């Protein structure tokens, strides 16, 4: 299966996931659609199947569910949790509600931010989670995510100051140095070279598959989406920079006085923390101690100063991480949710927590991490192996017991009150006087010497793998781990001098101040001894396990195929060991012998009673158990079930899926039946009300119609005798039903009134009136001066005022053209100035009849220079100014460009008349004439495209054309 890329396997509701160490194309949108709404075994094993099963259980049965992801470090737990989140986000909120989309986006983006500040490269994994994460996603009754909450567990803060060989510190440090802009790094007093900073120097040269520069940008974008303000993001990176500078502080002793060699770094730290340099220096070199009423400043030794500095660096990074988690929780918290209004609020929990770890040097962190894994394995054993077998025996189901290793003994070894390792460690930390790690190991040897799962060199003198006074071994469920006690006492006490807390609380940066609330306590105030780190972690683990146990669990068990991160290598021995300690073989045996589903008779009947006539709507059999038997036999499932004392057990999932299908089908029929009955009742009530309303409406409408018609008749009485034929008469408001009738009536009235007005117009004026109407239709709103107020003469060349000298020579030419071309009417004539394709500007005349447009030369007795048949004319273009520019567009692209001018009066505008008479003529001939009003005017001279634009010049006496690179410019007088 691994070689073929089939990395998932099912054992009941447990998915076994192999880390493929390569990208597989099995998480796209099409794959999501294949698993959406399907039952668990309908499709091949996949993470999406278990996510969908948990979602369906939550939605169908209103049960809180959780998905527990476990496995070794580097087995793929974090990636699995991301794919589960991605699937839940993809299948929810079909209605695209904005608030739900916001919550989904923040839940997905939070992963990116938490990984930057909580993950690091280890020898086993380039993106190892160095903290535990449990995320609750809250859903409303429709199954849409409406909020959530993240719990974080035991950040490995010691990684800030020291890392094992071959490992890096948290990603955030390298991302800031590689991805931060030069300006940002200058403001933080940083340089790009990570090897310049002693805290992260060892990891500077180590190759990592994570692109720090690109991730920095992704994290910054994600923080903005989540809702971090710009000043908060700046504070985050100021804290990261502060830690890098803290690591470079060098302490020495001048006589008895401790001093800081590189004092400049102190002022940089003070600047970043928004506090004073002298206060920072005092906190690093002195410790304020209260003895009764007296307060004294106790000098540090060089060793104490270094310890205090390191503790401070670890503490501010941990506070920063917890603050980021709290900030995300504030944004995604479910607000104003009222179960009485919105229905039940259900939860899916996703647990992605550090895996079992065995390093060359295992310290306090590995001890806590491995204890956490013991607790989770114990939960798995309790729920999957122990409780299941006990339930069969309790219910009287025939059962052969399957043996398994119960790791409760190891959990007790660590957490038992007064006897466990954590209790012994706490006792050692509370002892008065100097307590060493070796004394703690001695206490372990004395109290746990006879425990089968604990050993040390003192107890087993011949075992040379263990060092005297340093090492102890615990036989974990996943293998033996040797722990070094060095640092256990310090890490458990987690001591941070109060001076640092007060320093941070007194910062002028409000974000920093908020992170350190306990800094406001005065020096002399007595505080309760805080719980140790191990006890806090133990309490949080017990609470987590109790929380998970209250939900319906689904498991993802992650397995590493090899330790070399190779996509080809399958280390059989390594995999067998993981399968063995994860209890997967026992899980398979229990599943094979056991039952996939169990439910109390009452709840089973409540869900499935509608699929049998014997149980729907209520049964009359002696007990619920008899009713369930009848229902099962009715569908022929009796060979696949067992009947317990209070529960029914179904062996195979297929039977359950069939029951679900029958339930879904019947549910539709029941809903339809209820809808039918209720709709029938509503319809009958509606019919009676409607019938009564219609009767009232009928009589009322009749009255309104009559009233309206009477009112119209009254207002328009004697309309023929009115001077304006009733134009001033206001129409009454019609009832709604007569609105279209009123429109038709008004149309008839307007046509009648127009006819009356036209009948009063003399016949010889009608053509001019039609032309003016045509000009208005085309030019109104596009051109101001149409010339509607004056009389349109048409044939201006034949008029003496316009053409006193040459009128006598034009009329014979016009008569000759009438005889030759047989035109009926003269439409328009006028003197013009024209320009041609050779850029020659000449005075000409245009003569337009009902058949042709003639261009004439007035200087040669109006000789015809060019004839354009009107059927060859396709359009006119004029400008939107007061000029007289006209372009006649022809089919053969030989456009005629002219500017009209009149001699008497000289400023007479004839454009409106020319456009009107041509548009009117073309309309009567039922031909189309395209008129466009633009500036500049587009035209075509023998196929060459050009433009004619109009410009006003003050000193210009008369219109004239000039050449321009894109065509021509018509210069017109400015006055």
């Amino acid at each position: 299966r691994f070689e073929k890329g089939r990395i998932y396997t099912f054992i009941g509701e447990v998915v076994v996931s192999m880390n493929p160490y390569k990208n597989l194309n099995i998480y796209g949108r099409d794959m999501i659609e294949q698993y959406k709404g399907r039952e668990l075994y309908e499709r091949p094993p996949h993470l999406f199947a278990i996510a969908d099963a948990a979602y369906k259980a939550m939605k169908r049965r209103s049960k809180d569910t959780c998905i527990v992801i476990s496995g070794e470090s580097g087995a793929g737990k974090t990636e699995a949790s991301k794919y589960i989140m991605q699937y839940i986000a993809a299948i929810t909120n079909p209605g695209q509600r904005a608030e739900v989309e916001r919550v989904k986006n923040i839940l997905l983006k939070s992963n990116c931010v938490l990984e930057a500040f909580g993950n690091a490269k280890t020898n086993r994994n380039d993106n190892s989670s160095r903290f535990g994460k449990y995320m609750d996603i809250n859903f409303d009754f429709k199954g849409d995510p409406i909020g959530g909450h993240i719990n974080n567990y035991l950040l490995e803060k010691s990684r800030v100051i020291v890392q094992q060989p071959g490992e890096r510190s948290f990603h955030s440090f390298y991302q800031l140095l590689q991805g931060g802009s030069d300006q940002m790094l200058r403001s933080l007093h940083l340089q790009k070279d990570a090897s310049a900073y002693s805290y992260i120097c060892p990891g500077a040269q180590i190759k990592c598959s994570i692109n720090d520069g690109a991730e920095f940008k992704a994290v910054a974008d994600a923080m903005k989406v989540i809702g971090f303000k710009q000043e908060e993001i700046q504070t985050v990176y100021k804290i990261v920079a502060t830690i890098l500078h803290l690591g470079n502080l060098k302490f020495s002793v001048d006589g008895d006085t401790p001093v800081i060699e590189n004092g400049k770094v102190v002022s940089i730290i003070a600047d970043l923390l928004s506090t004073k340099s002298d206060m920072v220096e005092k906190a690093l070199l002195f410790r304020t101690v209260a003895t009764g009423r007296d307060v004294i400043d106790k000098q540090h030794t060089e060793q104490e100063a270094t310890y205090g500095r390191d503790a401070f660096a670890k503490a501010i990074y941990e506070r920063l991480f917890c603050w980021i988690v709290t900030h995300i929780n504030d944004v995604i918290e479910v607000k104003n949710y009222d179960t009485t209004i919105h229905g039940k609020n259900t939860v899916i929990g996703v647990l992605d927590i550090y895996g079992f770890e065995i390093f060359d040097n295992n310290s306090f962190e590995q001890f806590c991490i491995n204890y956490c894994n013991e607790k989770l394995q114990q939960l798995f054993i309790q729920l999957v192996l122990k409780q299941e077998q006990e339930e069969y025996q309790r219910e009287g189901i025939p059962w052969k017991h399957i043996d398994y290793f119960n790791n409760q003994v190891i959990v007790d070894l660590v957490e038992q009150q007064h006897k466990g390792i954590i209790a012994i460690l706490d006792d050692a930390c509370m002892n008065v006087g100097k307590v060493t790690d070796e004394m703690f190991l001695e206490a372990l040897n004395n109290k746990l010497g006879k425990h089968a799962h604990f050993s040390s060199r003192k107890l087993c003198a011949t075992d040379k793998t263990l060092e005297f006074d340093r090492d102890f071994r615990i036989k974990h469920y996943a293998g033996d781990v040797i722990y070094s006690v060095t640092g256990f006492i310090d890490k458990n006490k987690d001591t941070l001098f109060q001076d640092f807390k007060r320093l941070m609380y007194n910062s002028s940066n409000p974000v920093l101040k908020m992170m350190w609330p306990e800094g406001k306590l005065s020096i002399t105030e007595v505080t309760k001894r805080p719980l140790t780190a191990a006890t806090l972690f133990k309490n949080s683990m017990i609470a987590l396990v109790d929380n998970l146990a209250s939900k319906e669990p689904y498991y993802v068990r992650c397995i590493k195929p090899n330790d070399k991160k190779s996509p080809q290598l399958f280390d059989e021995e390594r995999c067998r060991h993981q399968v063995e300690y994860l209890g997967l073989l026992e899980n398979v045996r229990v599943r094979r012998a056991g039952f996939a589903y169990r439910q109390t008779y009452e709840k089973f009947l409540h869900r499935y009673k509608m699929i049998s006539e014997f149980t729907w709507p209520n049964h009359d059999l002696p007990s619920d158990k008899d009713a369930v038997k009848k229902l099962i036999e009715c569908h022929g499932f009796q060979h696949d079930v067992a009947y317990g004392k209070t529960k029914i057990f179904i062996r195979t999932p297929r039977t359950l899926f069939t029951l679900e299908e029958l339930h879904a089908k019947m549910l539709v029929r029941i809903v339809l039946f209820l809808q039918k009955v209720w709709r029938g009742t509503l319809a009958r009530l509606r019919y009676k009300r409607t019938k009564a309303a219609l009767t009232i409406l009928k009589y009322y409408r009749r009255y309104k119609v009559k009233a309206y018609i009477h009112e119209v008749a009254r207002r328009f009485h004697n309309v023929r005798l009115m001077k304006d034929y009733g134009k001033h008469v206001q129409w009454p408001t019609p009832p709604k039903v007569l609105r279209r009738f009123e429109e038709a009536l008004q149309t008839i009235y307007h046509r009648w009134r127009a006819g009356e007005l036209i009948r009063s117009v003399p016949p010889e004026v009608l053509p001019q009136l039609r032309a003016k109407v045509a000009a208005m239709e085309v030019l109104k709103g596009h051109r101001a001066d149409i010339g509607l107020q004056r009389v349109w003469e048409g044939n201006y060349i034949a008029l003496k005022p316009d053409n006193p000298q040459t009128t006598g020579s034009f009329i014979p030419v016009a008569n000759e053209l009438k005889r030759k071309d047989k035109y009926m009417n003269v439409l328009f004539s006028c003197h013009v100035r024209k320009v041609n394709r050779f850029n020659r500007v000449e005075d000409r005349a245009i003569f337009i009849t009902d058949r042709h447009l003639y261009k004439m030369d007035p200087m040669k007795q109006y000789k015809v220079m060019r004839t354009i048949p009107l059927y060859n004319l396709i359009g006119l273009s004029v400008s939107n100014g007061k000029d007289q520019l006209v372009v006649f567009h022809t089919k053969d692209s030989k456009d005629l460009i002219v500017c009209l001018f009149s001699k008497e009066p000289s400023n007479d505008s004839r454009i409106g008349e020319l456009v009107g008479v041509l548009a009117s003529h073309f309309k009567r001939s039922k031909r189309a004439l395209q008129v466009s009003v633009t500036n500049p005017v587009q035209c075509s001279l023998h196929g060459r495209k050009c433009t004619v634009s109009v410009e006003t010049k003050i000193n210009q006496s008369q219109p004239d054309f000039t050449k321009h690179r894109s065509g021509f410019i018509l210069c017109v007088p400015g006055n």
Side-chain angles (χ1 to χ4, degrees):
R1 289 178 71 82
F2 177 74
E3 284 164 4
K4 289 177 181 174
R6 296 175 191 164
I7 59 169
Y8 297 117
T9 310
F10 278 149
I11 309 172
E13 266 118 28
V14 177
V15 173
V16 182
S17 165
M18 296 287 281
N19 191 339
Y21 288 119
K22 63 182 176 183
N23 289 324
L24 297 176
N25 187 24
I26 56 170
Y27 305 103
R29 184 78 226 184
D30 54 337
M31 192 63 76
I32 289 169
E33 290 301 322
Q34 288 181 38
Y35 284 88
K36 184 179 174 183
R38 297 292 189 93
E39 298 298 343
L40 199 61
Y41 294 96
E42 281 188 60
R43 304 286 308 149
H46 200 290
L47 269 178
F48 291 168
I50 212 80
D52 198 75
Y55 180 71
K56 276 206 300 286
M58 179 274 297
K59 200 172 172 184
R60 274 182 189 166
R61 303 199 291 276
S62 291
K63 286 191 82 167
D64 289 348
T65 58
C66 63
I67 301 170
V68 181
I69 307 167
S70 56
E72 286 190 23
S73 179
K77 297 182 299 301
T78 300
E79 288 303 307
S81 77
K82 282 195 225 167
Y83 287 128
I84 287 167
M85 294 287 294
Q86 174 193 321
Y87 180 81
I88 291 169
I91 63 167
T92 53
N93 196 27
Q96 293 294 304
R97 286 191 292 159
E99 176 58 18
V100 175
E101 282 302 305
R102 183 189 75 85
V103 169
K104 274 167 41 174
N105 212 4
I106 292 169
L107 288 170
L108 291 174
K109 292 287 184 188
S110 66
N111 278 328
C112 171
V113 177
L114 294 177
E115 279 183 25
F117 291 91
N119 288 25
K121 175 188 164 46
T122 66
N123 289 317
R124 293 187 164 205
N125 180 2
D126 279 7
N127 189 30
S128 177
S129 298
R130 307 318 301 157
F131 71 104
K133 181 178 77 175
Y134 173 73
M135 182 185 282
D136 265 336
I137 310 167
N138 296 78
F139 295 83
D140 62 11
F141 73 100
K142 292 200 292 290
D144 289 334
I146 51 167
H149 188 271
I150 298 168
N151 285 327
N152 61 302
Y153 301 98
L154 191 74
L155 179 75
E156 188 193 23
K157 59 184 178 181
S158 61
R159 185 170 289 272
V160 171
I161 61 165
V162 66
Q163 304 93 42
Q164 301 209 24
E167 298 192 352
R168 299 203 315 175
S169 188
F170 294 102
H171 296 322
S172 55
F173 294 106
Y174 307 97
Q175 286 176 6
L176 174 59
L177 296 181
Q178 294 305 311
S181 65
D182 292 341
Q183 184 187 350
M184 184 184 198
L185 293 178
R186 271 198 306 277
S187 71
L188 299 173
H189 310 282
L190 294 175
Q191 53 181 292
K192 280 193 179 290
D193 183 13
S195 57
Y197 303 99
S198 60
Y199 275 162
I200 62 167
C201 176
Q205 308 305 323
I206 295 168
K207 283 189 178 177
C208 182
S209 60
I210 286 166
N211 182 337
D212 293 316
E215 284 298 314
F216 176 82
K217 188 174 184 311
V219 170
D221 292 343
M223 287 175 92
K224 283 176 192 163
V225 169
I226 290 166
F228 285 86
K229 297 188 186 111
Q230 192 56 43
E231 55 269 25
E232 290 174 335
I233 297 172
Q234 283 172 347
T235 300
V236 166
Y237 287 113
K238 278 182 179 179
I239 293 171
V240 174
T242 299
I243 292 166
L244 293 176
H245 289 302
L246 276 170
N248 283 1
L249 284 174
K250 294 191 178 93
F251 297 102
S252 60
V253 179
D254 182 8
D256 290 336
T257 310
V259 291
I260 296 168
E261 289 180 17
N262 43 354
K264 190 183 174 187
V265 179
V266 176
S267 58
I268 291 171
I269 292 167
D271 175 46
L272 294 172
L273 295 178
S274 305
T275 187
K276 294 174 184 169
S277 301
D278 54 342
M279 289 171 71
V280 174
E281 190 169 348
K282 187 182 175 189
L284 287 164
L285 297 176
F286 295 89
R287 182 181 173 192
T288 308
V289 181
T291 55
R293 291 182 182 177
D294 297 328
V295 175
I296 57 167
D297 289 334
K298 182 174 176 284
Q299 285 186 0
H300 284 320
T301 62
E302 187 181 341
Q303 188 182 355
E304 284 171 341
T306 306
Y307 171 83
R309 182 267 317 264
D310 290 347
F312 183 41
K314 289 189 291 183
I316 48 179
Y317 194 81
E318 184 186 38
R319 292 289 174 110
L320 168 65
F321 186 76
C322 293
W323 175 80
I324 289 170
V325 173
T326 307
H327 196 292
I328 295 169
N329 283 337
D330 289 343
V331 175
I332 58 173
E333 182 190 13
V334 182
K335 297 172 184 79
N336 306 323
Y337 195 92
D338 186 348
T339 49
T340 55
I341 300 167
H342 304 107
K344 192 182 174 199
N345 168 353
T346 43
V347 166
I348 293 181
V350 180
L351 178 68
D352 167 25
I353 207 155
Y354 15 56
F356 192 84
E357 291 184 345
I358 308 175
F359 292 149
D360 294 334
N361 178 29
N362 300 293
S363 186
F364 179 75
E365 288 81 12
Q366 280 67 48
F367 170 74
C368 290
I369 286 168
N370 293 342
Y371 158 62
C372 161
N373 279 271
E374 289 286 357
K375 286 290 286 182
L376 292 176
Q377 177 67 5
Q378 222 262 317
L379 176 72
F380 179 75
I381 288 165
Q382 280 286 339
L383 296 176
V384 176
L385 305 177
K386 185 168 180 273
Q387 279 184 14
E388 187 149 339
Q389 297 196 72
E390 285 174 356
E391 186 172 39
Y392 295 143
Q393 288 162 3
R394 195 167 56 247
E395 287 286 328
I397 304 290
W399 181 259
K400 185 182 173 185
H401 185 74
I402 292 165
D403 286 328
Y404 58 88
F405 169 66
N406 190 340
N407 71 331
Q408 182 64 49
V409 62
I410 304 170
V411 172
D412 289 343
L413 169 66
V414 176
E415 72 174 21
Q416 198 174 9
Q417 292 282 349
H418 310 301
K419 296 179 184 175
I421 294 174
I422 290 175
I424 296 166
L425 179 59
D426 283 356
D427 287 344
C429 291
M430 286 178 194
N431 284 344
V432 180
K434 180 76 173 162
V435 180
T436 62
D437 294 316
E438 291 76 17
M439 290 163 71
F440 161 59
L441 181 58
E442 186 61 33
L444 288 179
N445 289 332
N446 293 338
K447 292 187 180 178
L448 301 173
K450 293 178 182 174
H451 200 287
H453 292 268
F454 176 87
S455 60
S456 68
R457 186 68 185 270
K458 185 177 179 183
L459 301 173
C460 190
T462 55
D463 189 348
K464 293 185 180 176
T465 57
L466 298 166
E467 283 280 330
F468 274 114
D469 294 336
R470 193 192 76 184
D471 296 342
F472 67 91
R473 181 193 289 122
I474 296 177
K475 287 188 176 182
H476 285 286
Y477 76 99
D480 293 2
V481 183
I482 296 170
Y483 296 101
S484 163
V485 291
T486 309
F488 260 64
I489 296 285
D490 276 345
K491 287 173 181 176
N492 189 43
K493 278 183 177 176
D494 199 16
T495 307
L496 178 69
F497 302 137
Q498 288 290 334
D499 303 66
F500 290 118
K501 295 177 185 177
R502 282 191 288 275
L503 173 73
M504 298 303 281
Y505 181 75
N506 291 319
S507 165
S508 59
N509 185 325
V511 180
L512 277 172
K513 189 182 180 90
M514 189 168 58
M515 288 185 200
W516 298 81
E518 68 272 46
K520 68 179 175 185
L521 296 173
S522 71
I523 300 162
T524 53
E525 273 187 74
V526 179
T527 55
K528 210 168 120 183
R529 185 195 292 270
L531 292 173
T532 60
T535 300
L536 285 169
F537 186 67
K538 180 186 82 171
N539 294 345
S540 67
M541 280 299 106
I542 292 168
L544 171 66
V545 169
D546 288 345
N547 186 7
L548 294 176
S550 69
K551 295 174 169 59
E552 187 169 310
Y554 293 82
Y555 289 93
V556 179
R557 308 293 257 172
C558 298
I559 289 180
K560 288 174 75 168
N562 58 74
D563 284 325
K564 294 182 175 145
K565 303 176 191 169
S566 164
Q568 278 91 31
L569 192 61
F570 186 86
D571 186 337
E572 203 165 309
E573 191 54 45
R574 188 84 179 75
C575 293
R576 183 182 287 115
H577 174 64
Q578 291 172 79
V579 166
E580 212 171 273
Y581 75 65
L582 286 170
L584 298 183
L585 288 173
E586 293 90 338
N587 190 5
V588 170
R589 289 192 196 109
V590 170
R591 272 285 157 191
R592 277 183 179 165
F595 296 86
Y597 178 80
R598 73 287 323 266
Q599 190 58 272
T600 59
Y601 294 120
E602 185 190 355
K603 285 187 178 175
F604 185 86
L605 264 183
H606 182 72
R607 183 159 186 82
Y608 300 112
K609 64 180 178 178
M610 72 276 295
I611 66 173
S612 169
E613 58 187 306
F614 299 106
T615 53
W616 177 257
N618 292 302
H619 68 86
D620 54 1
L621 293 159
S623 68
D624 285 348
K625 184 175 181 179
D626 294 325
V628 169
K629 275 186 180 177
K630 193 76 178 168
L631 186 151
I632 292 292
E633 286 164 10
C634 177
H635 291 284
F637 298 138
Q638 59 270 28
H639 304 298
D640 198 38
V641 301
Y643 302 102
K645 291 171 185 173
T646 62
K647 290 180 180 179
I648 179 173
F649 292 81
I650 298 173
R651 190 176 296 281
T652 60
R654 195 152 303 285
T655 299
L656 184 64
F657 299 155
T658 310
L659 285 169
E660 277 296 328
E661 281 172 17
L662 291 167
H663 169 264
K665 282 180 190 170
M666 278 308 297
L667 210 57
V668 173
R669 288 173 64 180
I670 289 165
V671 168
L672 284 173
F673 174 74
L674 291 170
Q675 285 179 340
K676 181 184 79 171
V677 173
W678 180 237
R679 279 176 180 157
T681 305
L682 289 177
R684 280 187 287 277
L685 288 168
R686 201 178 299 123
Y687 170 75
K688 286 177 183 175
R689 280 200 301 270
T690 306
K691 192 176 177 186
L694 285 171
T695 306
I696 296 165
L697 272 172
K698 185 172 75 173
Y699 286 99
Y700 181 70
R701 274 181 185 161
R702 195 177 292 171
Y703 158 73
K704 291 293 280 183
V705 167
K706 282 181 180 177
Y708 173 73
I709 290 168
H710 284 312
E711 182 62 18
V712 170
R714 187 186 68 76
R715 291 190 186 189
F716 285 90
H717 186 59
N718 290 331
V719 73
R720 285 177 189 279
L721 304 175
M722 293 177 191
K723 201 172 183 181
D724 61 353
Y725 297 109
K727 185 184 176 182
H728 71 282
V729 176
Q730 193 171 356
W731 287 74
T733 306
K736 237 181 192 178
V737 72
L738 289 183
R739 275 187 189 161
R740 289 182 66 184
F741 169 74
E742 184 205 35
E743 287 169 13
L745 198 60
Q746 284 184 355
T747 305
I748 293 165
Y749 163 71
H750 291 313
R751 288 176 74 87
W752 170 80
R753 184 171 172 275
E756 291 296 314
L757 289 169
I758 287 167
R759 269 195 285 279
S760 65
V761 175
E764 62 272 15
V765 180
L766 272 177
Q768 193 180 129
L769 190 63
R770 286 196 188 97
K772 286 186 176 182
V773 169
M776 240 176 91
E777 284 176 352
V778 173
L779 298 176
K780 191 170 182 187
H782 300 293
R783 193 178 164 101
D785 188 13
I786 303 175
L788 296 176
Q789 278 70 39
R790 63 179 185 78
V791 177
W792 288 3
E793 300 289 353
N795 193 354
Y796 289 99
I797 300 176
L799 297 175
K800 278 197 173 165
D802 201 66
N803 198 12
Q805 289 87 17
T806 54
T807 303
S809 60
F810 170 71
I811 291 169
V813 173
N815 291 336
E816 176 60 25
L817 286 172
K818 185 171 186 177
R819 186 189 62 74
K820 181 183 155 198
D821 290 339
K822 296 183 173 51
Y823 67 78
M824 300 295 291
N825 299 308
V826 176
L827 300 182
F828 186 80
S829 69
C830 182
H831 285 100
V832 299
R833 182 155 286 156
K834 70 100 185 176
V835 65
N836 64 10
R837 61 187 170 132
F838 304 113
N839 310 326
R840 285 169 58 189
V841 180
E842 290 167 323
D843 286 346
R844 293 284 185 265
I846 58 168
F847 178 49
I848 305 172
T849 69
D850 54 7
R851 300 193 66 180
H852 294 88
L853 185 156
Y854 303 98
K855 182 180 78 173
M856 300 172 164
D857 188 348
M859 308 310 293
K860 296 179 180 177
Q861 266 70 41
Y862 289 95
K863 179 184 174 184
V864 176
M865 307 298 289
R866 180 179 173 190
T867 304
I868 302 170
L870 286 193
Y871 61 74
N872 204 24
L873 193 66
I874 57 171
L876 292 176
S877 286
V878 298
S879 79
N880 53 9
K882 289 188 176 182
D883 55 272
Q884 302 294 296
L885 174 68
V886 186
V887 177
F888 296 91
H889 301 293
T890 61
K891 287 180 183 174
D892 55 3
S893 298
K894 295 178 182 177
D895 295 353
L896 178 61
I897 306 169
V898 299
C899 174
L900 312 183
F901 64 86
S902 59
K903 293 181 179 174
E904 201 62 45
S906 60
N907 61 349
D908 209 359
S909 174
R910 294 176 182 172
I911 290 290
E913 183 176 354
L914 171 59
V915 171
V917 294
L918 275 173
S920 177
H921 175 70
F922 270 70
K923 193 174 182 181
R924 282 202 307 280
S925 308
K926 296 184 178 172
R927 296 209 307 268
L929 180 72
Q930 186 71 35
V931 178
S932 62
V933 184
T934 57
N935 185 20
V937 174
Q938 305 291 328
C939 58
S940 177
L941 293 176
H942 285 260
R944 184 172 65 85
K945 301 283 181 192
C946 65
T947 61
V948 183
S949 55
V950 180
E951 285 184 7
T952 305
K953 288 196 176 175
I954 293 170
N955 300 327
Q956 189 85 14
S957 60
Q958 59 183 352
D960 202 3
F961 289 99
T962 57
K963 181 76 182 79
H964 187 258
R965 67 170 179 273
S966 61
F968 306 100
I969 295 173
L970 173 62
C971 301
V972 296
N975 53 354

